[in-house]
Amino acid sequence: MPNTSKVKKLRSLTTAIGVALTLAGAVAVTQASATTTDHHVAQDIRDRSSNLERDHSKEFELVGKQTQYEEIDLGKKGVSLGDERVVTEDLYRDGKKVGDHGVVCTYVRVEPGLLQCLGTFSLPEGQLAGQALLHLPAPQSVDLAITGGTGAYSNARGYITTAPAGTTERHLSVHLER
């Protein structure tokens, strides 16, 4: 049974913690098929770009359910600069597991507490990278900046709002702009 202090820390940290399009290729057997393939790939890229231009923003909801949490005490005993908090979560959309989230928060100031948090959200469409500077005690909800991505999220920017829904679960509202 976790102590009250750890539960409070965990709740504060999970508040802040905070998302691949697979490229298909074809191997050309002859120069003619290579030309045809190149034409189709180029058209596919143009089609995707056109769709992205029409769809400049996308919003969706996720639920993160914590699977692991660890406090790593580095350097001086007790909370000190460089100590880390590591969290992994399963991500759910409409009740179905759709991905994973991992985040590492590092103490960059002790009094008052200040954490630099960097996380990656792995989803079927690609990965989203996010970060936040978290002042402790953490507010009820936190916005994480989307700092990059892969696959369908390769040109993504925006933010993810995270809010606790218990001690080991949180709601994530993803606000993408492309």
Side-chain angles (χ1 to χ4, degrees):
M1 185 95 180
N3 67 34
T4 305
S5 175
K6 274 195 168 185
V7 170
K8 285 181 183 176
K9 275 189 201 176
L10 178 61
R11 183 173 227 170
S12 291
L13 291 173
T14 56
T15 299
I17 300 172
V19 225
L21 177 64
T22 302
L23 299 176
V27 178
V29 177
T30 65
Q31 183 62 33
S33 66
T35 302
T36 302
T37 299
D38 288 346
H39 171 74
H40 288 299
V41 169
Q43 183 61 47
D44 186 46
I45 290 170
R46 282 192 298 274
D47 290 346
R48 285 187 203 158
S49 295
S50 178
N51 288 340
L52 285 176
E53 288 171 11
R54 284 192 299 269
D55 183 18
H56 292 289
S57 64
K58 179 179 181 180
E59 294 184 10
F60 57 92
E61 303 295 318
L62 296 169
V63 173
K65 294 184 180 182
Q66 184 179 304
T67 57
Q68 292 182 304
Y69 172 80
E70 187 71 36
E71 294 183 25
I72 302 170
D73 190 0
L74 303 170
K76 297 179 196 172
K77 188 162 177 70
V79 176
S80 62
L81 289 179
D83 285 356
E84 295 180 334
R85 307 301 182 249
V86 181
V87 177
T88 56
E89 297 176 314
D90 288 340
L91 297 174
Y92 294 83
R93 192 179 312 171
D94 300 323
K96 179 182 173 196
K97 184 177 185 295
V98 294
D100 302 289
H101 174 234
V103 66
V104 176
C105 292
T106 305
Y107 273 92
V108 295
R109 186 171 64 210
V110 176
E111 289 298 326
L114 186 61
L115 296 165
Q116 172 68 45
C117 298
L118 305 170
T120 304
F121 299 82
S122 181
L123 298 166
E125 302 88 1
Q127 294 187 358
L128 286 169
Q131 69 181 59
L133 193 58
L134 176 63
H135 296 265
L136 297 179
Q140 192 60 21
S141 69
V142 174
D143 287 338
L144 308 165
I146 295 174
T147 57
T150 64
Y153 308 119
S154 63
N155 294 319
R157 59 188 190 280
Y159 64 97
I160 300 168
T161 300
T162 176
T167 57
T168 60
E169 187 174 307
R170 61 199 181 94
H171 293 161
L172 304 152
S173 295
V174 180
H175 307 270
L176 290 173
E177 294 192 22
R178 302 179 222 201

